[in-house]
Amino acid sequence: MTDINWEEPFCGEGANCFRIGTDPEGNAYIAVAGQEDRPLTDSREALRALIHAIKAGEVDHLL
Protein backbone atom coordinates (compact mmCIF):
# COMPACT_ATOMS: atom_id res chain seq x y z
CA MET A 1 0.00 0.00 0.00
CA THR A 2 1.06 3.58 -0.59
CA ASP A 3 2.85 5.42 2.22
CA ILE A 4 0.18 7.71 3.64
CA ASN A 5 1.15 10.61 5.90
CA TRP A 6 -1.80 10.70 8.34
CA GLU A 7 -2.66 13.81 10.35
CA GLU A 8 -3.63 13.45 14.00
CA PRO A 9 -7.28 12.36 14.42
CA PHE A 10 -9.98 15.03 14.53
CA CYS A 11 -12.66 14.05 17.02
CA GLY A 12 -16.05 15.68 17.32
CA GLU A 13 -18.46 14.97 20.13
CA GLY A 14 -18.41 11.40 21.33
CA ALA A 15 -16.04 8.97 19.68
CA ASN A 16 -16.43 10.08 16.06
CA CYS A 17 -12.81 10.55 14.99
CA PHE A 18 -11.57 11.04 11.44
CA ARG A 19 -8.10 11.24 9.95
CA ILE A 20 -6.93 13.02 6.82
CA GLY A 21 -3.79 11.93 5.01
CA THR A 22 -1.83 12.50 1.81
CA ASP A 23 0.70 10.51 -0.17
CA PRO A 24 3.67 11.48 -2.35
CA GLU A 25 1.65 10.87 -5.54
CA GLY A 26 -0.79 13.70 -4.76
CA ASN A 27 -3.69 11.66 -3.44
CA ALA A 28 -5.72 12.60 -0.37
CA TYR A 29 -7.37 10.20 2.09
CA ILE A 30 -10.10 10.40 4.73
CA ALA A 31 -10.64 7.53 7.16
CA VAL A 32 -12.36 6.75 10.42
CA ALA A 33 -9.64 6.62 13.07
CA GLY A 34 -8.64 3.02 13.58
CA GLN A 35 -9.81 2.03 10.09
CA GLU A 36 -7.05 3.64 8.05
CA ASP A 37 -6.82 0.46 5.97
CA ARG A 38 -10.21 1.39 4.39
CA PRO A 39 -9.92 5.07 3.41
CA LEU A 40 -11.91 7.16 0.99
CA THR A 41 -9.42 8.50 -1.56
CA ASP A 42 -9.37 11.25 -4.19
CA SER A 43 -7.03 13.97 -5.40
CA ARG A 44 -5.70 16.68 -3.11
CA GLU A 45 -7.65 19.18 -5.22
CA ALA A 46 -10.90 17.33 -4.46
CA LEU A 47 -10.09 17.30 -0.73
CA ARG A 48 -9.26 21.02 -0.87
CA ALA A 49 -12.61 21.73 -2.60
CA LEU A 50 -14.47 19.67 0.03
CA ILE A 51 -12.81 21.53 2.91
CA HIS A 52 -13.55 24.92 1.31
CA ALA A 53 -17.20 23.93 0.81
CA ILE A 54 -17.50 22.82 4.43
CA LYS A 55 -15.90 26.04 5.70
CA ALA A 56 -18.23 28.10 3.47
CA GLY A 57 -21.28 26.41 5.01
CA GLU A 58 -22.33 24.76 1.75
CA VAL A 59 -23.10 21.47 3.49
CA ASP A 60 -24.70 22.81 6.67
CA HIS A 61 -28.04 21.39 5.51
CA LEU A 62 -26.61 17.92 6.24
CA LEU A 63 -26.25 18.69 9.95
Side-chain angles (χ1 to χ4, degrees):
M1 182 172 209
T2 303
D3 289 327
I4 300 171
N5 180 27
W6 291 104
E7 298 288 328
E8 289 297 316
F10 170 80
C11 300
E13 293 182 23
N16 300 319
C17 299
F18 295 90
R19 296 187 80 181
I20 294 177
T22 55
D23 69 18
E25 288 79 39
N27 299 306
Y29 301 83
I30 300 174
V32 173
Q35 298 181 17
E36 290 84 355
D37 59 328
R38 300 184 311 176
L40 169 69
T41 184
D42 208 327
S43 67
R44 288 185 189 191
E45 292 79 23
L47 177 60
R48 186 176 295 115
L50 174 64
I51 292 170
H52 283 291
I54 291 169
K55 290 174 95 176
E58 295 176 19
V59 294
D60 286 354
H61 64 281
L62 298 173
L63 301 176

